[in-house]
Amino acid sequence: GEDVEQSLFLSVREGDSSVINCTYTDSSSTYLYWYKQEPGAGLQLLTYIFSNMDMKQDQRLTVLLNKKDKHLSLRIADTQTGDSAIYFCAAGGGGATNKLIFGTGTLLAVQP
Amino acid sequence: DAGITQSPRHKVTETGTPVTLRCHQTENHRYMYWYRQDPGHGLRLIHYSYGVKDTDKGEVSDGYSVSRSKTEDFLLTLESATSSQTSVYFCAIRGLEYNEQFFGPGTRLTVL
């Protein structure tokens, strides 16, 4: 079945760039999304990329999509302690029901 | 703010008792979803709705039922709760721009 995989943990120093990676199996995914979850909270939509795009930039966030390899990455520039959270990649966005498949999440720890 | 609330926010119950979780939205969105979040599994879709009285199963629907008698409310029922249903439950609605999903704050359910 459809699957989305992410590494479990990433530790960076404040001010450095963070890169969180994701791979997916469903080549028909129309949109790919990045969500952020802070402790005890719901998921907050950070950004998305349409499947016919290679890159999308939104302030400190850069999303890269390699459709051939089904690889998605999220780069956070100048990472701050407030960026510490779990980041989820999700694939889907197509069809009438728009069911999304989520990765298991990457815990980003930012060291001061 | 997508105007999604969930109730209750926390619940502790005993095995074998029925439990109903409520999701309420204020923006008249057609599509609504119920997910559960468990460590190591990310978010998994339980059921979804594409209109009043129109619902369908997700990937982990066993032991759960849903109802949607009006656009703004989507109810998730555990007919006879089991310890394996201890989880955090999230409701989501589908946005209109790029099939994004917006999440509620979650309900933490503990089944003893």
Side-chain angles (χ1 to χ4, degrees):
Chain A
E2 300 159 13
D3 194 21
V4 176
E5 292 191 356
Q6 301 178 238
S7 54
L8 290 180
F9 181 74
L10 176 66
S11 179
V12 299
R13 290 197 178 276
E14 192 173 19
D16 288 349
S17 292
S18 308
V19 179
I20 302 171
N21 295 301
C22 167
T23 58
Y24 60 99
T25 59
D26 185 6
S27 58
S28 68
S29 295
T30 306
Y31 290 100
L32 297 121
Y33 309 85
W34 284 103
Y35 285 86
K36 176 183 180 182
Q37 185 180 35
E38 297 181 0
L43 275 73
Q44 172 195 353
L45 178 66
L46 281 180
T47 187
Y48 72 96
I49 188 166
F50 192 49
S51 60
N52 68 354
M53 299 167 67
D54 297 325
M55 185 181 87
K56 181 181 180 187
Q57 188 150 3
D58 186 359
Q59 298 182 329
R60 293 191 297 123
L61 305 179
T62 303
V63 179
L64 296 178
L65 175 59
N66 181 328
K67 196 171 182 181
K68 174 176 169 290
D69 294 338
K70 300 190 189 71
H71 182 267
L72 183 73
S73 67
L74 174 70
R75 178 177 180 269
I76 306 172
D78 187 24
T79 311
Q80 303 297 307
T81 54
D83 295 323
S84 294
I86 301 175
Y87 290 80
F88 290 93
C89 167
T97 58
N98 184 39
K99 286 189 268 188
L100 296 185
I101 304 298
F102 284 82
T104 53
T106 299
L107 174 62
L108 174 65
V110 182
Q111 311 300 324
Chain B
D1 183 2
I4 309 168
T5 57
Q6 293 185 233
S7 59
R9 294 293 314 280
H10 301 271
K11 186 169 182 66
V12 180
T13 192
E14 294 190 350
T15 299
T17 60
V19 176
T20 295
L21 308 183
R22 178 180 183 241
C23 177
H24 179 79
Q25 56 135 335
T26 59
E27 300 190 8
N28 208 35
H29 289 273
R30 180 181 171 196
Y31 287 85
M32 299 183 75
Y33 309 82
W34 276 108
Y35 292 88
R36 60 178 288 174
Q37 182 179 25
D38 304 290
H41 289 280
L43 274 79
R44 293 179 291 174
L45 182 66
I46 305 171
H47 280 280
Y48 64 96
S49 170
Y50 46 97
V52 172
K53 294 187 168 52
D54 292 323
T55 65
D56 206 348
K57 296 178 180 180
E59 63 177 308
V60 290
S61 59
D62 287 349
Y64 302 95
S65 62
V66 290
S67 65
R68 192 162 177 208
S69 59
K70 45 186 178 176
T71 301
E72 57 265 36
D73 288 325
F74 191 30
L75 303 181
L76 177 70
T77 297
L78 291 65
E79 302 289 348
S80 177
T82 67
S83 58
S84 64
Q85 294 175 312
T86 292
S87 187
V88 181
Y89 291 86
F90 287 101
C91 173
I93 60 171
R94 175 179 171 181
L96 300 176
E97 291 190 55
Y98 34 87
N99 292 344
E100 72 278 27
Q101 290 185 18
F102 297 104
F103 286 80
T107 294
R108 182 173 294 277
L109 176 68
T110 302
V111 183
L112 301 176

